[in-house]
């Protein structure tokens, strides 16, 4: 039956739902299973015709996440995955302009593109807010959604500016994110990197330890399955492959930090 109606909208959504189920396995995938899942997402994303832009967005988001979480993904492939999330207009602006920007800023040399995307995201959020108000959505709802999303994107922009060495501009964006959004482990980690870049390793270490010890960070992995945290779970709660990892061999000198995080992986461009 699936073969007979392979190009129908219903079958398209059924296949997307199957991929979504596989994207959150009960137990973490091993290398072979993870590679097979990435291949399945890439093959489905390459289909010549899509009935639903929303279905495309779901698959593009999962494909991005799968590639981002693979340390062997080439930078240009990760860039293409971020761009693929923006092929069609979308209502959910968080993934491309939050985690997408972070991935480019922290895992690839495409820092300028990360900054440009973040600034594009800030404008897209304001435009979406105006549209929702015009559609009759209550202002308090629109304002809350707008501020939360702006917090995510200001933080991502701060990370991109950090990666480019523009520390004062980065601080302004990180403070804007802290003011606008809910407490975020990503934001706290970025403030730690900022302190370290300015030579204050003691403050940086204290911020990272706070990130590990606060409930909203330790619950980050569970929250990731609900999409509750920008950038997925707090990657610092595993081993740093993002923000703090851009200072390899420095913050890891702390014995407490090594005990919590293990060793840094150098992901600098």
């Amino acid at each position: 039956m699936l073969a007979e109606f392979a190009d129908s909208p219903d079958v398209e959504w059924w296949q997307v739902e199957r991929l979504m189920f596989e994207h959150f396995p009960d137990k973490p995938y091993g290398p072979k299973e993870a590679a097979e899942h990435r291949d399945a997402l890439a093959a489905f994303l390459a289909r010549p015709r899509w009935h639903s832009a929303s279905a495309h967005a779901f698959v593009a988001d999962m494909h991005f996440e799968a590639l981002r979480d693979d340390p062997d993904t080439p930078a240009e492939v990760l860039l293409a995955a971020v761009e693929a999330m923006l092929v069609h207009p979308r209502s959910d602006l968080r993934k491309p302009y939050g985690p997408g920007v972070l991935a480019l800023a922290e895992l690839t040399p495409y820092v300028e593109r990360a900054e440009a995307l973040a600034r594009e995201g800030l404008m897209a959020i304001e435009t979406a807010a105006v549209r929702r108000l015009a559609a009759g959505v209550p202002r308090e709802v629109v304002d809350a959604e707008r501020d939360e999303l702006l917090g995510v994107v200001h933080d991502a922009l701060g990370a991109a500016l950090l990666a480019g060495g523009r520390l004062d501009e980065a601080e302004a964006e990180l403070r804007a994110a802290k003011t606008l959004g809910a407490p975020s482990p990503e934001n706290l980690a970025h403030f730690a990197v900022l302190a370290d870049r300015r030579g204050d390793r003691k403050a940086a270490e204290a911020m990272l330890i706070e990130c590990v010890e606060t409930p909203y960070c330790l619950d980050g992995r569970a929250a990731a399955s609900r999409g509750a945290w920008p950038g997925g779970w707090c990657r610092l709660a595993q081993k740093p492959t993002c923000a703090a990892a851009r200072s390899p061999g420095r913050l890891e000198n702390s014995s407490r930090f090594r005990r919590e995080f293990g060793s840094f992986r150098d992901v600098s461009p």
Side-chain angles (χ1 to χ4, degrees):
M1 181 178 293
L2 289 178
E4 184 178 355
F5 299 101
D7 194 40
S8 74
D10 288 342
V11 170
E12 178 178 272
W13 269 112
W14 182 89
Q15 291 174 303
V16 171
E17 290 171 359
R18 176 179 58 81
L19 288 168
M20 292 175 67
F21 178 79
E22 295 172 353
H23 195 62
F24 299 101
D26 293 334
K27 296 186 295 184
Y29 284 137
K32 181 175 181 293
E33 293 82 4
E36 290 173 348
H37 181 57
R38 289 193 300 272
D39 290 345
L41 289 167
F44 195 72
L45 197 59
R47 58 193 280 125
R49 180 186 179 192
W50 286 84
H51 296 282
S52 168
S54 296
H56 182 278
F58 277 121
V59 179
D61 289 359
M62 291 187 290
H63 186 234
F64 157 72
E65 290 173 342
L67 290 172
R68 178 199 61 192
D69 295 341
D70 176 16
D72 295 325
T73 297
E76 63 275 12
V77 173
L78 192 55
L79 173 63
V82 172
E83 302 285 5
M85 290 192 286
L86 294 166
V87 167
H88 298 291
R90 52 187 295 154
S91 58
D92 176 15
L93 301 175
R94 175 189 297 274
K95 193 64 61 75
Y97 297 122
V101 169
L102 286 177
L104 294 183
E106 297 169 349
L107 301 175
T108 81
Y110 299 112
V111 175
E112 290 184 3
R113 180 57 179 151
E115 179 186 350
L117 273 178
R119 296 192 187 281
E120 175 186 309
L122 294 175
M123 292 188 291
I125 291 166
E126 297 288 4
T127 299
V130 171
R131 187 182 306 119
R132 285 173 61 74
L133 284 172
V137 180
R139 175 170 289 278
E140 59 270 21
V141 173
V142 173
D143 287 348
E145 294 174 346
R146 168 188 169 276
D147 288 352
E148 195 271 337
L149 280 174
L150 286 175
V152 170
V153 181
H154 276 293
D155 182 69
L157 177 55
L161 295 168
L162 267 177
R166 294 152 63 184
L167 302 189
D168 291 343
E169 294 173 77
E171 181 178 11
E173 296 300 331
L174 296 179
R175 291 195 181 282
K178 185 177 180 180
T179 300
L180 286 165
S184 161
E186 295 278 357
N187 185 246
L188 189 55
H190 293 146
F191 270 113
V193 175
L194 177 65
D196 183 56
R197 295 286 179 82
R198 287 174 167 167
D200 192 346
R201 282 194 238 169
K202 184 175 181 180
E205 181 183 329
M207 291 177 194
L208 288 172
I209 290 172
E210 180 184 350
C211 179
V212 171
E213 292 179 345
T214 48
Y216 61 74
C217 183
L218 296 178
D219 291 341
R221 178 178 293 202
S225 64
R226 304 189 302 272
W229 290 113
W233 61 81
C234 178
R235 284 165 283 173
L236 289 171
Q238 301 180 66
K239 291 186 179 180
T241 59
C242 55
R246 300 189 65 83
S247 303
R250 299 179 65 187
L251 290 175
E252 65 177 341
N253 291 333
S254 161
S255 59
R256 184 173 186 182
F257 188 81
R258 287 198 303 272
R259 184 169 67 251
E260 296 289 354
F261 296 128
S263 296
F264 279 119
R265 176 169 70 86
D266 186 358
V267 296
S268 300

